[in-house]
Amino acid sequence: MFYDEPLSIAQYLDPTNPKLQFDVVIFDEASQVKPEDALGAFMRAKTAVVMGDTQQLPPTSFFDQMTGIDDIEEVATALDMESILHLCKLSFPVKMLKWHYRSRHESLIAVSNKEFYDDELLVYPSPSHNTKELGLKFKHDSSTVYERGKSSANPLEARAVVKEIFKHFNKYGDRKSLGIGTFSVAQMNAILEELEIERKLHPELEPLFSDKMKERFFVKNLETIQGDERDVILISVGYGFDQNRKMSLNFGPLNQDGGERRLNVLITRAREKCVVFSNFKAHDMHLTVNPPFGVKALKEFLEYAENISHGNIITTSKSDEPFEEAVYTFFNEKWV
Protein backbone atom coordinates (compact mmCIF):
# COMPACT_ATOMS: atom_id res chain seq x y z
CA MET A 1 0.00 0.00 0.00
CA PHE A 2 1.28 3.46 -0.88
CA TYR A 3 0.04 6.92 0.17
CA ASP A 4 1.24 10.06 -1.56
CA GLU A 5 0.37 13.03 -3.72
CA PRO A 6 -0.39 12.02 -7.34
CA LEU A 7 2.35 14.26 -8.68
CA SER A 8 4.92 12.69 -6.33
CA ILE A 9 4.17 9.26 -7.78
CA ALA A 10 4.94 10.54 -11.25
CA GLN A 11 8.12 12.25 -10.06
CA TYR A 12 9.69 9.56 -7.87
CA LEU A 13 8.47 6.11 -8.98
CA ASP A 14 10.28 4.48 -11.88
CA PRO A 15 7.63 3.72 -14.55
CA THR A 16 9.74 0.87 -15.94
CA ASN A 17 9.94 -1.00 -12.63
CA PRO A 18 7.21 -3.71 -12.61
CA LYS A 19 7.31 -3.83 -8.79
CA LEU A 20 6.06 -0.25 -8.67
CA GLN A 21 2.79 -1.00 -10.45
CA PHE A 22 -0.53 -1.13 -8.56
CA ASP A 23 -3.68 -3.21 -8.92
CA VAL A 24 -5.82 -0.30 -7.75
CA VAL A 25 -5.20 3.44 -7.42
CA ILE A 26 -7.67 5.52 -5.39
CA PHE A 27 -7.92 9.28 -5.76
CA ASP A 28 -9.59 11.01 -2.81
CA GLU A 29 -10.71 14.67 -3.01
CA ALA A 30 -10.27 14.23 -6.75
CA SER A 31 -11.94 17.57 -7.52
CA GLN A 32 -8.67 19.15 -6.33
CA VAL A 33 -6.37 17.03 -8.55
CA LYS A 34 -5.14 18.42 -11.85
CA PRO A 35 -5.37 15.96 -14.77
CA GLU A 36 -1.67 16.31 -15.58
CA ASP A 37 -0.74 15.52 -11.95
CA ALA A 38 -2.92 12.39 -11.94
CA LEU A 39 -1.68 10.86 -15.18
CA GLY A 40 1.42 9.21 -13.69
CA ALA A 41 -0.62 7.38 -11.04
CA PHE A 42 -3.21 6.32 -13.63
CA MET A 43 -0.53 4.78 -15.83
CA ARG A 44 0.77 2.67 -12.94
CA ALA A 45 -2.56 1.02 -12.07
CA LYS A 46 -4.82 -1.64 -13.54
CA THR A 47 -7.93 -0.10 -11.95
CA ALA A 48 -8.71 3.44 -10.81
CA VAL A 49 -11.31 4.68 -8.31
CA VAL A 50 -11.80 8.44 -8.52
CA MET A 51 -13.68 9.91 -5.56
CA GLY A 52 -14.78 13.49 -5.04
CA ASP A 53 -17.50 16.09 -5.38
CA THR A 54 -17.88 18.16 -8.54
CA GLN A 55 -19.87 20.69 -6.49
CA GLN A 56 -16.76 21.52 -4.46
CA LEU A 57 -13.60 23.41 -5.38
CA PRO A 58 -11.75 22.52 -8.57
CA PRO A 59 -7.98 22.93 -8.79
CA THR A 60 -6.98 26.60 -8.98
CA SER A 61 -3.83 27.49 -10.90
CA PHE A 62 -3.86 30.96 -9.37
CA PHE A 63 -2.20 29.83 -6.15
CA ASP A 64 0.75 28.44 -8.13
CA GLN A 65 1.61 31.96 -9.29
CA MET A 66 0.12 34.38 -6.75
CA THR A 67 3.28 36.43 -6.13
CA GLY A 68 2.64 40.09 -6.75
CA ILE A 69 -1.15 39.79 -6.93
CA ASP A 70 -3.00 41.92 -4.40
CA ASP A 71 -6.64 40.88 -4.71
CA ILE A 72 -6.86 37.10 -4.46
CA GLU A 73 -10.67 37.02 -4.49
CA GLU A 74 -11.04 38.89 -7.75
CA VAL A 75 -8.88 36.64 -9.90
CA ALA A 76 -8.73 33.21 -8.28
CA THR A 77 -11.89 31.82 -9.84
CA ALA A 78 -10.94 33.12 -13.28
CA LEU A 79 -8.11 30.57 -13.33
CA ASP A 80 -10.07 27.55 -12.14
CA MET A 81 -9.51 24.45 -14.21
CA GLU A 82 -11.44 21.23 -14.36
CA SER A 83 -10.11 18.32 -12.34
CA ILE A 84 -9.42 14.66 -13.03
CA LEU A 85 -12.82 14.04 -11.41
CA HIS A 86 -14.61 16.13 -14.03
CA LEU A 87 -12.81 14.39 -16.89
CA CYS A 88 -13.50 10.92 -15.53
CA LYS A 89 -17.15 11.76 -15.00
CA LEU A 90 -17.48 12.36 -18.74
CA SER A 91 -16.20 8.91 -19.73
CA PHE A 92 -16.47 6.39 -16.88
CA PRO A 93 -19.33 4.85 -14.86
CA VAL A 94 -20.53 7.17 -12.09
CA LYS A 95 -21.93 6.22 -8.67
CA MET A 96 -23.32 8.86 -6.34
CA LEU A 97 -22.87 8.32 -2.60
CA LYS A 98 -26.20 9.57 -1.28
CA TRP A 99 -25.98 9.02 2.47
CA HIS A 100 -24.85 12.18 4.24
CA TYR A 101 -23.15 11.41 7.55
CA ARG A 102 -21.44 14.63 8.64
CA SER A 103 -24.38 16.83 9.67
CA ARG A 104 -26.01 15.92 12.98
CA HIS A 105 -28.83 18.33 12.25
CA GLU A 106 -30.59 18.44 8.88
CA SER A 107 -30.55 22.26 8.73
CA LEU A 108 -26.76 22.15 8.27
CA ILE A 109 -27.06 20.51 4.85
CA ALA A 110 -30.59 21.45 3.75
CA VAL A 111 -29.72 24.39 1.48
CA SER A 112 -26.78 22.62 -0.17
CA ASN A 113 -28.92 19.55 -0.71
CA LYS A 114 -31.54 21.64 -2.50
CA GLU A 115 -29.28 24.01 -4.43
CA PHE A 116 -26.42 21.69 -5.42
CA TYR A 117 -27.51 18.06 -5.11
CA ASP A 118 -31.10 18.09 -6.41
CA ASP A 119 -32.39 16.90 -3.03
CA GLU A 120 -30.75 13.51 -3.62
CA LEU A 121 -28.75 13.40 -0.38
CA LEU A 122 -30.30 11.28 2.34
CA VAL A 123 -29.87 12.93 5.74
CA TYR A 124 -30.39 11.37 9.16
CA PRO A 125 -33.15 13.35 10.91
CA SER A 126 -32.22 15.00 14.19
CA PRO A 127 -34.35 14.20 17.24
CA SER A 128 -33.84 17.78 18.50
CA HIS A 129 -35.12 20.48 16.17
CA ASN A 130 -35.08 23.57 18.37
CA THR A 131 -32.02 23.06 20.57
CA LYS A 132 -29.39 25.81 20.81
CA GLU A 133 -26.66 23.18 20.62
CA LEU A 134 -27.42 21.90 17.13
CA GLY A 135 -28.22 23.26 13.70
CA LEU A 136 -27.91 26.44 11.68
CA LYS A 137 -28.06 29.78 13.53
CA PHE A 138 -28.18 33.33 12.18
CA LYS A 139 -26.74 36.36 14.01
CA HIS A 140 -27.70 39.65 12.38
CA ASP A 141 -26.12 42.90 13.59
CA SER A 142 -26.94 45.98 11.53
CA SER A 143 -24.56 48.15 13.60
CA THR A 144 -21.47 46.58 12.03
CA VAL A 145 -19.95 48.13 8.90
CA TYR A 146 -18.24 46.74 5.83
CA GLU A 147 -15.34 49.13 5.18
CA ARG A 148 -15.59 49.46 1.42
CA GLY A 149 -12.57 51.16 -0.10
CA LYS A 150 -10.62 50.93 3.17
CA SER A 151 -9.86 47.60 4.84
CA SER A 152 -12.44 45.69 2.75
CA ALA A 153 -13.40 44.01 6.03
CA ASN A 154 -16.00 44.36 8.79
CA PRO A 155 -14.00 44.96 12.01
CA LEU A 156 -17.01 45.04 14.34
CA GLU A 157 -18.30 41.77 12.94
CA ALA A 158 -14.81 40.33 13.39
CA ARG A 159 -14.92 41.42 17.04
CA ALA A 160 -18.31 39.74 17.51
CA VAL A 161 -16.93 36.51 16.05
CA VAL A 162 -13.94 36.62 18.42
CA LYS A 163 -16.28 37.10 21.39
CA GLU A 164 -18.19 34.02 20.23
CA ILE A 165 -14.91 32.07 20.00
CA PHE A 166 -14.12 32.72 23.67
CA LYS A 167 -17.70 32.10 24.68
CA HIS A 168 -17.45 28.70 22.99
CA PHE A 169 -14.15 27.75 24.65
CA ASN A 170 -15.30 28.94 28.07
CA LYS A 171 -18.37 26.73 27.75
CA TYR A 172 -16.99 23.61 26.07
CA GLY A 173 -13.22 23.69 26.56
CA ASP A 174 -11.77 20.99 24.33
CA ARG A 175 -14.98 18.93 24.23
CA LYS A 176 -16.21 20.52 20.99
CA SER A 177 -13.88 21.51 18.16
CA LEU A 178 -14.24 24.94 16.54
CA GLY A 179 -13.36 26.53 13.22
CA ILE A 180 -13.97 29.93 11.58
CA GLY A 181 -14.79 30.47 7.91
CA THR A 182 -14.87 33.82 6.11
CA PHE A 183 -15.97 35.03 2.69
CA SER A 184 -12.73 36.95 2.11
CA VAL A 185 -9.05 37.09 3.01
CA ALA A 186 -9.59 40.62 4.39
CA GLN A 187 -12.23 39.40 6.86
CA MET A 188 -10.06 36.44 7.83
CA ASN A 189 -7.19 38.81 8.65
CA ALA A 190 -9.50 41.12 10.61
CA ILE A 191 -10.58 38.19 12.79
CA LEU A 192 -6.98 37.05 13.30
CA GLU A 193 -5.99 40.56 14.41
CA GLU A 194 -8.86 40.77 16.92
CA LEU A 195 -8.11 37.25 18.09
CA GLU A 196 -4.46 38.05 18.78
CA ILE A 197 -5.50 40.92 21.05
CA GLU A 198 -8.09 38.87 22.91
CA ARG A 199 -5.81 35.85 23.43
CA LYS A 200 -3.39 38.00 25.42
CA LEU A 201 -6.23 38.79 27.83
CA HIS A 202 -7.05 35.10 28.37
CA PRO A 203 -3.79 33.18 28.79
CA GLU A 204 -5.64 30.41 30.64
CA LEU A 205 -7.33 29.40 27.35
CA GLU A 206 -4.14 29.38 25.31
CA PRO A 207 -3.83 25.52 25.27
CA LEU A 208 -7.09 25.39 23.30
CA PHE A 209 -5.42 27.23 20.41
CA SER A 210 -2.49 24.80 20.26
CA ASP A 211 -1.55 23.14 16.99
CA LYS A 212 -1.21 19.89 18.96
CA MET A 213 -4.97 19.62 19.43
CA LYS A 214 -6.49 16.62 17.64
CA GLU A 215 -8.82 18.95 15.75
CA ARG A 216 -7.08 22.27 16.10
CA PHE A 217 -8.82 25.62 15.95
CA PHE A 218 -8.52 27.48 12.63
CA VAL A 219 -9.52 30.68 10.84
CA LYS A 220 -9.72 30.19 7.06
CA ASN A 221 -11.33 31.85 4.07
CA LEU A 222 -13.57 30.05 1.60
CA GLU A 223 -10.65 29.34 -0.75
CA THR A 224 -8.74 27.30 1.85
CA ILE A 225 -11.36 25.66 4.06
CA GLN A 226 -12.15 22.66 1.85
CA GLY A 227 -11.39 19.34 3.54
CA ASP A 228 -11.84 20.72 7.06
CA GLU A 229 -14.74 19.95 9.36
CA ARG A 230 -15.38 20.79 13.01
CA ASP A 231 -18.15 20.30 15.57
CA VAL A 232 -18.95 24.02 15.43
CA ILE A 233 -18.27 26.45 12.58
CA LEU A 234 -18.65 30.23 12.77
CA ILE A 235 -19.09 31.97 9.39
CA SER A 236 -18.34 35.67 8.99
CA VAL A 237 -19.79 37.13 5.78
CA GLY A 238 -17.89 40.42 6.18
CA TYR A 239 -19.50 41.99 3.10
CA GLY A 240 -22.69 43.99 3.42
CA PHE A 241 -23.81 47.52 4.27
CA ASP A 242 -20.94 50.00 4.14
CA GLN A 243 -20.27 53.25 6.02
CA ASN A 244 -22.84 55.02 3.80
CA ARG A 245 -25.47 52.34 4.47
CA LYS A 246 -25.19 51.22 0.87
CA MET A 247 -24.91 47.62 -0.11
CA SER A 248 -23.40 46.14 -3.23
CA LEU A 249 -24.08 42.63 -4.49
CA ASN A 250 -20.36 42.09 -4.90
CA PHE A 251 -19.36 39.15 -2.70
CA GLY A 252 -15.91 38.53 -4.12
CA PRO A 253 -15.46 34.96 -5.42
CA LEU A 254 -19.19 34.21 -5.17
CA ASN A 255 -19.84 36.50 -8.12
CA GLN A 256 -17.44 34.60 -10.39
CA ASP A 257 -17.99 31.39 -12.33
CA GLY A 258 -17.62 28.57 -9.83
CA GLY A 259 -18.44 30.85 -6.90
CA GLU A 260 -21.31 28.58 -5.92
CA ARG A 261 -18.84 25.76 -5.30
CA ARG A 262 -16.97 27.90 -2.81
CA LEU A 263 -20.21 28.73 -1.00
CA ASN A 264 -21.17 25.04 -0.92
CA VAL A 265 -17.84 24.15 0.68
CA LEU A 266 -18.02 26.93 3.26
CA ILE A 267 -21.55 26.26 4.51
CA THR A 268 -21.12 22.49 4.92
CA ARG A 269 -18.13 22.29 7.30
CA ALA A 270 -20.05 21.90 10.58
CA ARG A 271 -20.99 18.60 12.21
CA GLU A 272 -23.20 19.98 14.98
CA LYS A 273 -23.71 23.74 14.73
CA CYS A 274 -23.04 26.56 12.27
CA VAL A 275 -23.46 30.22 13.28
CA VAL A 276 -23.61 32.83 10.49
CA PHE A 277 -22.67 36.48 11.24
CA SER A 278 -23.93 39.18 8.86
CA ASN A 279 -24.92 42.85 8.90
CA PHE A 280 -27.67 42.29 6.32
CA LYS A 281 -30.57 39.91 5.78
CA ALA A 282 -31.72 38.01 2.73
CA HIS A 283 -34.41 40.58 1.90
CA ASP A 284 -31.69 43.24 1.61
CA MET A 285 -30.29 41.42 -1.42
CA HIS A 286 -32.15 42.80 -4.44
CA LEU A 287 -31.06 40.39 -7.13
CA THR A 288 -30.86 41.16 -10.83
CA VAL A 289 -32.80 39.14 -13.42
CA ASN A 290 -29.96 36.64 -13.93
CA PRO A 291 -27.80 36.78 -10.79
CA PRO A 292 -24.64 34.67 -10.42
CA PHE A 293 -25.50 31.25 -9.06
CA GLY A 294 -23.28 31.83 -6.01
CA VAL A 295 -25.08 35.06 -5.06
CA LYS A 296 -28.52 33.51 -5.58
CA ALA A 297 -27.55 30.53 -3.41
CA LEU A 298 -26.25 32.89 -0.72
CA LYS A 299 -29.64 34.61 -0.52
CA GLU A 300 -31.35 31.21 -0.19
CA PHE A 301 -28.92 30.24 2.56
CA LEU A 302 -29.37 33.44 4.58
CA GLU A 303 -33.15 33.30 4.27
CA TYR A 304 -33.18 29.70 5.45
CA ALA A 305 -30.77 30.46 8.32
CA GLU A 306 -32.91 33.38 9.50
CA ASN A 307 -36.13 31.36 9.37
CA ILE A 308 -34.68 28.33 11.12
CA SER A 309 -33.20 30.58 13.82
CA HIS A 310 -36.67 31.99 14.48
CA GLY A 311 -38.10 28.50 14.86
CA ASN A 312 -39.77 28.40 11.46
CA ILE A 313 -39.35 24.89 10.03
CA ILE A 314 -38.72 25.28 6.31
CA THR A 315 -39.02 22.21 4.10
CA THR A 316 -36.37 22.28 1.37
CA SER A 317 -36.59 18.69 0.13
CA LYS A 318 -39.08 17.23 -2.30
CA SER A 319 -40.46 15.01 0.43
CA ASP A 320 -41.55 16.06 3.90
CA GLU A 321 -40.07 12.83 5.24
CA PRO A 322 -37.02 11.97 3.09
CA PHE A 323 -35.53 9.49 5.59
CA GLU A 324 -38.78 7.58 6.03
CA GLU A 325 -39.33 7.60 2.28
CA ALA A 326 -35.84 6.17 1.69
CA VAL A 327 -36.46 3.31 4.15
CA TYR A 328 -39.83 2.55 2.53
CA THR A 329 -38.31 2.54 -0.95
CA PHE A 330 -35.51 0.20 0.14
CA PHE A 331 -37.86 -2.38 1.64
CA ASN A 332 -40.29 -2.04 -1.25
CA GLU A 333 -37.61 -2.70 -3.86
CA LYS A 334 -36.03 -5.57 -1.92
CA TRP A 335 -39.03 -7.67 -0.91
CA VAL A 336 -42.08 -6.58 -2.89
Side-chain angles (χ1 to χ4, degrees):
M1 186 175 289
F2 188 84
Y3 300 93
D4 213 329
E5 295 288 335
L7 184 58
S8 298
I9 293 176
Q11 288 175 328
Y12 301 115
L13 297 189
D14 183 358
T16 63
N17 187 341
K19 294 183 179 180
L20 297 178
Q21 304 295 311
F22 305 99
D23 292 323
V24 181
V25 61
I26 300 174
F27 292 88
D28 192 20
E29 293 285 355
S31 69
Q32 290 276 286
V33 181
K34 300 176 184 177
E36 61 268 31
D37 292 348
L39 187 59
F42 261 109
M43 298 298 290
R44 289 169 172 81
K46 298 176 184 178
T47 303
V49 179
V50 183
M51 305 174 65
D53 184 353
T54 54
Q55 294 300 327
Q56 296 198 10
L57 292 185
T60 304
S61 62
F62 170 75
F63 293 100
D64 296 337
Q65 48 184 333
M66 60 183 290
T67 305
I69 305 295
D70 293 326
D71 195 344
I72 293 176
E73 276 87 13
E74 290 300 319
V75 296
T77 54
L79 295 172
D80 281 349
M81 62 180 67
E82 294 303 350
S83 65
I84 189 65
L85 178 65
H86 286 79
L87 295 182
C88 288
K89 193 174 181 180
L90 297 175
S91 305
F92 300 131
V94 176
K95 178 71 174 179
M96 180 177 178
L97 304 178
K98 294 189 175 184
W99 287 99
H100 178 79
Y101 298 100
R102 174 184 297 157
S103 303
R104 296 174 189 169
H105 193 280
E106 53 267 37
S107 66
L108 297 172
I109 193 65
V111 173
S112 282
N113 196 10
K114 174 177 178 286
E115 293 293 322
F116 306 112
Y117 301 109
D118 298 322
D119 280 327
E120 292 189 3
L121 293 181
L122 300 175
V123 183
Y124 291 100
S126 171
S128 304
H129 285 285
N130 298 319
T131 176
K132 294 181 179 180
E133 305 300 314
L134 296 174
L136 183 62
K137 314 296 179 184
F138 183 65
K139 288 203 171 185
H140 170 252
D141 187 349
S142 60
S143 67
T144 69
V145 175
Y146 169 56
E147 295 184 342
R148 188 185 313 280
K150 294 182 179 180
S151 68
S152 296
N154 187 325
L156 292 178
E157 184 174 294
R159 194 171 302 167
V161 171
V162 170
K163 287 182 179 179
E164 190 69 21
I165 291 170
F166 283 89
K167 180 180 177 182
H168 172 94
F169 282 138
N170 277 313
K171 183 174 183 179
Y172 299 111
D174 60 358
R175 298 193 306 278
K176 289 183 184 289
S177 58
L178 177 66
I180 314 301
T182 71
F183 276 54
S184 69
V185 173
Q187 189 64 13
M188 178 186 73
N189 289 335
I191 291 173
L192 288 172
E193 290 172 7
E194 288 288 339
L195 183 59
E196 185 176 357
I197 295 170
E198 197 69 20
R199 283 172 66 172
K200 292 177 181 177
L201 302 177
H202 298 278
E204 73 281 3
L205 296 179
E206 197 59 27
L208 298 175
F209 295 96
S210 171
D211 290 342
K212 296 180 181 179
M213 297 284 290
K214 183 179 179 181
E215 286 193 328
R216 65 181 183 84
F217 169 81
F218 66 76
V219 183
K220 296 186 177 183
N221 72 312
L222 79 179
E223 295 285 354
T224 57
I225 200 171
Q226 180 160 314
D228 288 302
E229 62 179 71
R230 294 294 184 268
D231 294 326
V232 179
I233 293 288
L234 309 181
I235 295 178
S236 179
V237 176
Y239 297 103
F241 286 109
D242 61 20
Q243 52 269 35
N244 298 316
R245 293 304 297 168
K246 293 183 178 180
M247 180 178 162
S248 166
L249 291 180
N250 181 7
F251 298 100
L254 262 63
N255 292 73
Q256 309 297 323
D257 290 338
E260 70 279 0
R261 296 175 181 175
R262 288 160 169 78
L263 180 68
N264 184 37
V265 169
L266 181 63
I267 65 178
T268 55
R269 301 300 93 197
R271 288 191 289 259
E272 297 185 10
K273 183 168 72 171
C274 176
V275 184
V276 184
F277 292 77
S278 175
N279 79 351
F280 64 95
K281 297 183 178 181
H283 66 73
D284 296 314
M285 298 176 65
H286 304 294
L287 302 185
T288 57
V289 177
N290 293 306
F293 187 6
V295 175
K296 173 182 171 293
L298 172 61
K299 181 170 183 174
E300 294 283 340
F301 175 67
L302 292 180
E303 184 174 16
Y304 181 79
E306 184 179 354
N307 276 292
I308 208 78
S309 294
H310 290 158
N312 301 324
I313 304 301
I314 308 298
T315 299
T316 59
S317 64
K318 297 173 185 175
S319 170
D320 288 339
E321 298 176 332
F323 179 78
E324 290 84 347
E325 185 178 271
V327 173
Y328 171 80
T329 301
F330 173 79
F331 283 111
N332 196 47
E333 291 177 351
K334 192 171 182 66
W335 284 293
V336 176

